[in-house]
Amino acid sequence: MTIASSNGSNRAQSPLIPDLAEAINTRPDRNTHDGKQPDLHQPSEEQMAQMMEAVRAILVGVGEDPEREGLLKTPKRVAEAMRFLTSGYNQSLEELINGAVFDEGHNEMVLVRDINFFSLCEHHMLPFMGRAHVAYIPNQKVVGLSKLARIVEMYSRRLQVQERLTRQVAEAIQTILEPQGVAVVMEATHMCMVMRGVQKPGSWTVTSAMVGIFQEDQKTREEFLNLIRHQAAFF
C-alpha cells in the first residue's frame, strides 16, 4: 500500500510530510526502459498506416481473409480504436488540471468513489475495467471534483498494469495539491484472466496506493476504507 515515483521530476516537499519526496523517489520505477524514461511520441499518419498493415497481418495470421467484405474496414477501425484507447499518452497533467486548484481552507477528507474506468493490459493488450475510489485530505487547497475522474481517465487510457495505474493516480494528486495524504483503491476485472490463460470469469483484482496520513494513520485509512465499502443509497 505504498507508492513509487513514476517519473524523474522534482516535487516540492509538503510541510506536513517533509520526507515524502525522498520516500517516493527512493523506490524503483518500473515504467521505464532499462531505467530510462520511455520514448513516447505523438503518433503520425505514417504510423497510422503501419498500424493498419499490422492489423491486416494479424488477420492473415489467424487464418482470415482481410479482403472479405466484413473485414475490409477492420484495419482502419482497429487502428482508430487503439488511438482512442491510448489517448492518455497525448495528455498532460498540467493541461488537464488547467488551473482548477482552489484555496478553500478545507482540511477534511474529500472522496470521489465508484469512478468507472477501462484500460488495456500492456502484457496482452486486452481490456481490464472496473472502479476507482480516490480520496485526499487537503492542505487548504482543493481541486475540481471532475479533475479526479479525469486523472483516472488520463492514466487509464494507456497501456497499463493495474498496480502502476493506481500508483500514478495517487502521485498525480500528490503532485498538484501537496495534500496531507492521498488514498486510491482500484478494483478491476482483467480480460487476460477471463478470456485466456487461467480463464476465471468473476475474479477481481484490488490494488491500493496510500500516501502521507493515509499510510501513517490507521484510523484515517480505516475511515477511507469504510466509506468505500458501503453501497451508495442514490441512483
Side-chain angles (χ1 to χ4, degrees), residues 174-186:
Q174 180 66 36
T175 298
I176 61 176
L177 290 177
E178 291 189 312
Q180 298 180 55
V182 181
V184 179
V185 168
M186 304 192 85

Side-chain angles (χ1 to χ4, degrees), residues 18-202:
D19 60 342
L20 177 62
E22 180 181 354
I24 290 177
N25 289 331
T26 56
R27 299 190 180 116
D29 180 359
R30 294 173 178 82
N31 190 24
T32 62
H33 177 69
D34 293 333
K36 300 177 182 179
Q37 288 300 309
D39 181 20
L40 305 179
H41 54 271
Q42 182 80 17
S44 65
E45 290 306 313
E46 179 182 357
Q47 288 164 333
M48 181 74 168
Q50 292 172 348
M51 288 173 64
M52 292 168 61
E53 284 302 314
V55 175
R56 287 178 58 87
I58 291 173
L59 291 173
V60 172
V62 299
E64 264 291 359
D65 176 9
E67 299 301 324
R68 72 175 176 85
E69 183 180 7
L71 294 176
L72 282 175
K73 295 183 178 180
T74 295
K76 184 174 185 292
R77 292 189 184 108
V78 172
E80 290 175 345
M82 287 302 299
R83 278 199 170 181
F84 173 76
L85 294 171
T86 59
S87 58
Y89 286 121
N90 303 319
Q91 294 178 286
S92 72
L93 187 59
E94 294 76 13
E95 292 175 351
L96 185 149
I97 298 303
N98 194 28
V101 175
F102 311 101
D103 189 348
E104 292 293 332
H106 190 66
N107 60 3
E108 296 293 336
M109 188 187 305
V110 177
L111 166 64
V112 178
R113 50 167 286 180
D114 298 321
I115 302 170
N116 292 321
F117 74 91
F118 58 83
S119 189
L120 287 178
C121 163
E122 67 179 30
H123 300 143
H124 301 96
M125 294 179 71
L126 288 174
F128 66 94
M129 63 212 73
R131 298 176 301 176
H133 314 290
V134 180
Y136 68 96
I137 296 181
N139 185 13
Q140 309 302 321
K141 295 185 296 183
V142 301
V143 68
L145 293 176
S146 68
K147 302 302 184 183
L148 299 178
R150 291 187 184 279
I151 289 172
V152 173
E153 184 178 84
M154 179 181 75
Y155 287 110
S156 297
R157 290 185 179 175
R158 302 179 181 188
L159 299 182
Q160 281 286 11
V161 295
Q162 186 175 329
E163 298 87 340
R164 182 200 306 142
L165 173 57
T166 308
R167 170 174 49 107
Q168 287 178 327
V169 172
E171 289 178 357
I173 298 166
Q174 180 66 36
T175 298
I176 61 176
L177 290 177
E178 291 189 312
Q180 298 180 55
V182 181
V184 179
V185 168
M186 304 192 85
E187 310 166 282
T189 183
H190 292 244
M191 292 302 103
C192 59
M193 286 185 62
V194 173
M195 300 171 63
R196 56 159 301 283
V198 72
Q199 298 180 51
K200 289 291 180 277

